[in-house]
Amino acid sequence: MTDWDPRALAVLDALEGAGFQAVLVGGCVRDALRGAAPHDYDAATAARPEEMRQVFAGWKTADTGLRHGTLTVFSGGLGVEVTSFRSEGPYSDRRRPDGVRFTRSLAEDLGRRDFTVNAMAWGRGGLTDLFGGREDLAAGVIRCVGSPARRFQEDALRLLRGLRLAAQLEFKLHPDTAAALRDSLPLLDWVSRERVMQELSRLVCAPGAQGVLLDFPQAAVRIFPELAPAVGFDQRSPCHCFDVYTHCVRAMGAVSPRLTLRLAALLHDVGKPAVFAPDAAGAGHFPGHARAGAELARAALRRLRLDGASRERTAALIARHGMRLPLQERAVRRQLFRLGPELFFDLAELDRADNAAKRPGTAPPAEHWTRLDALARQILAQSPCLTLKDLAVDGHDALAAGLEGPAVGRALDALLEAAAEGRLPNRREDLLRELERRGAPSPREG
């Protein structure tokens, strides 16, 4: 552990030069032990807030939370959050301590932290690991410091942080921590919806998200009650070997780690239980489930305060999932025109993941999606006409051809669709000829 950013070490040196113990703590120590470069730096010190101010009087600083002992110090452009060693009082709101007591004890400060892998410190004297964090890191375990129930009672956001950390590191929760987490999930009601969405966004895009959500469906249902009927729901379909919830989570794990795509995959079949319609033989059918699921997802994401653009993009993917994408140039051109390239490729990826999460041998082979992607990109490389601004004629041409009022827009839209699908070349002379045909008076008018 020698490859620390020298700018962070300069902060420790300033504090120690003034006579105060100072260490790096939390995620930067955890990441360094894993052989990963820390993406940010936190430090802790025996200096009290007023003493930190004196030490860094000549430095650029920001009062991040000085009342609770945190000062951000900028060292060569690197922001280092420095917090006084402290112990904490009760958490009446299940989120923040009612008060803090500053201490000179590093051990007391580490003992208040959430998980053992985050409760290690490094200073010039080496590593301080009082709770077995290094062993848990090597074993791939997320374990609370002290009593798990107490840790979650103190700060309910730790429920999601623990799951998110397990997903990011691809770790498992220690059995005691896992049991306490499941029992403590009602505490999430104390957490603002915005903070839930922030943690959920990081969780679902993490590499181990699939494993975590399969292990903790209770947590997913607490966040998305709309998913509750999906857990254990038998689809009664020869194409499916998983219940609806498991199918959705496995599809989520098979798409790129982009938020709207991951959320769409997680919720893409949320509408199935409500529209389940078995046939005479008992096989399951789900008429209209995509549209129903889009409405459920839209409402859920609005409740979680997801921004409007992301919410609508997610709902659009769910509403359109399962569309047929044949390997035919005209059909692909049509969908590229109707959807736009970005939505087309996201839907193709969602469709691929949806099929990958079905019973083996019942979906198109992987080659289908590779060829579909190649065909779409080949079409786009030809600079196809997909929007009105790409069209070789415009409204002035339509007026010159004798069209008026709404007929202008209808004619341009029809030409755009024909050009986009390859039924009509996007050449000015061909399009002008078509406009003139549309603008010519009928024999009865003549």
Side-chain angles (χ1 to χ4, degrees):
M1 299 177 65
T2 57
D3 295 331
W4 299 111
D5 191 316
R7 297 173 295 176
L9 296 181
V11 173
L12 300 189
D13 291 342
L15 288 161
E16 292 186 333
F20 300 106
Q21 182 183 8
V23 292
L24 298 174
V25 291
C28 63
V29 178
R30 180 195 69 226
D31 291 343
L33 284 170
R34 295 175 57 238
H39 64 276
D40 55 27
Y41 281 87
D42 293 311
T45 180
R48 307 289 171 84
E50 63 277 8
E51 294 168 335
M52 282 197 289
R53 276 189 176 281
Q54 294 173 3
V55 171
F56 296 108
W59 300 52
K60 180 182 177 182
T61 61
D63 291 353
T64 311
L66 209 58
R67 186 168 64 92
H68 290 103
T70 300
L71 179 72
T72 298
V73 177
F74 295 93
S75 173
L78 176 70
V80 180
E81 283 201 355
V82 186
T83 303
S84 300
F85 295 160
R86 71 190 194 196
S87 62
E88 298 171 341
Y91 286 66
S92 298
D93 65 356
R94 300 289 190 270
R95 279 290 292 114
R96 295 174 182 82
D98 297 341
V100 301
R101 180 180 64 83
F102 300 118
T103 174
R104 303 291 189 185
S105 168
L106 172 60
E108 197 170 355
D109 182 79
L110 295 178
R112 69 175 176 83
R113 296 177 181 267
D114 51 9
F115 305 106
T116 61
V117 296
N118 291 336
M120 295 179 285
W122 182 91
R124 292 297 189 182
L127 182 71
T128 301
D129 178 15
L130 306 178
F131 304 101
R134 192 166 194 171
E135 291 181 6
D136 287 343
L137 199 62
V141 169
I142 301 298
R143 181 165 57 94
C144 284
V145 173
S147 164
R150 178 180 176 183
R151 292 284 89 92
F152 295 137
Q153 285 281 340
E154 289 171 342
D155 182 356
L157 190 60
R158 287 172 176 163
L159 295 160
L160 291 182
R161 283 178 178 159
L163 295 174
R164 185 254 299 170
L165 192 57
Q168 286 180 331
L169 301 178
E170 297 184 88
F171 282 12
K172 290 285 189 179
L173 269 66
H174 184 277
D176 292 345
T177 296
L181 187 146
R182 291 186 178 97
D183 290 343
S184 303
L185 283 170
L187 296 173
L188 279 180
D189 293 346
W190 289 81
V191 182
S192 72
R193 292 169 179 176
E194 292 85 353
R195 291 307 303 271
V196 170
M197 191 68 240
Q198 288 173 8
E199 289 294 331
L200 177 68
S201 299
R202 298 173 70 185
L203 192 165
V204 298
C205 291
Q210 176 177 309
V212 167
L213 292 181
L214 288 178
D215 286 345
F216 293 91
Q218 306 92 335
V221 166
R222 195 77 201 183
I223 298 168
F224 292 117
E226 295 83 358
L227 277 173
V231 178
F233 193 97
D234 184 357
Q235 304 194 58
R236 301 191 203 173
S237 167
C239 295
H240 288 279
C241 53
F242 302 112
D243 65 88
V244 173
Y245 176 78
T246 302
H247 166 74
C248 286
V249 173
R250 291 174 71 93
M252 181 206 69
V255 297
S256 304
R258 289 181 285 121
L259 181 59
T260 54
L261 195 51
R262 285 276 169 116
L263 288 174
L266 177 62
L267 300 173
H268 78 277
D269 278 350
V270 70
K272 274 188 170 181
V275 302
F276 176 64
D279 60 22
H285 300 276
F286 305 93
H289 79 275
R291 186 175 299 276
E295 290 307 311
L296 287 170
R298 183 179 282 113
L301 296 174
R302 184 182 295 113
R303 184 178 66 245
L304 290 171
R305 309 289 195 266
L306 182 65
D307 68 274
S310 297
R311 182 175 67 239
E312 292 307 311
R313 178 53 172 249
T314 303
L317 287 167
I318 294 171
R320 292 172 172 83
H321 88 270
M323 69 175 189
R324 296 187 180 277
L325 294 170
L327 289 170
Q328 300 170 0
E329 182 174 346
R330 179 167 290 184
V332 173
R333 282 183 177 274
R334 183 182 300 117
Q335 294 299 345
L336 283 170
F337 160 62
R338 293 180 176 177
L339 301 170
E342 188 178 353
L343 186 58
F344 173 89
F345 285 115
D346 277 359
L347 277 169
E349 184 171 356
L350 178 57
D351 205 16
R352 175 189 58 77
D354 186 6
N355 281 277
K358 293 179 180 178
R359 188 184 302 278
T362 62
E367 180 189 7
H368 172 86
W369 312 107
T370 303
R371 293 174 60 191
L372 178 67
D373 185 88
L375 176 57
R377 296 188 187 280
Q378 178 184 334
I379 293 169
L380 291 174
Q382 301 167 7
S383 300
C385 180
L386 297 178
T387 66
L388 283 173
K389 68 179 181 180
D390 301 324
L391 204 61
V393 294
D394 58 21
H396 296 292
D397 298 311
L399 291 171
L403 293 165
E404 297 179 353
V408 171
R410 289 196 298 268
L412 292 176
D413 287 342
L415 293 185
L416 173 61
E417 183 172 353
E421 294 179 5
R423 292 183 281 109
L424 187 66
N426 186 29
R427 289 195 298 262
R428 184 167 174 78
E429 58 269 26
D430 294 291
L431 299 180
L432 285 174
R433 190 178 304 115
E434 180 64 20
L435 283 175
E436 289 168 1
R437 187 187 68 78
R438 289 171 176 268
S442 66
R444 181 175 298 177
E445 293 173 324

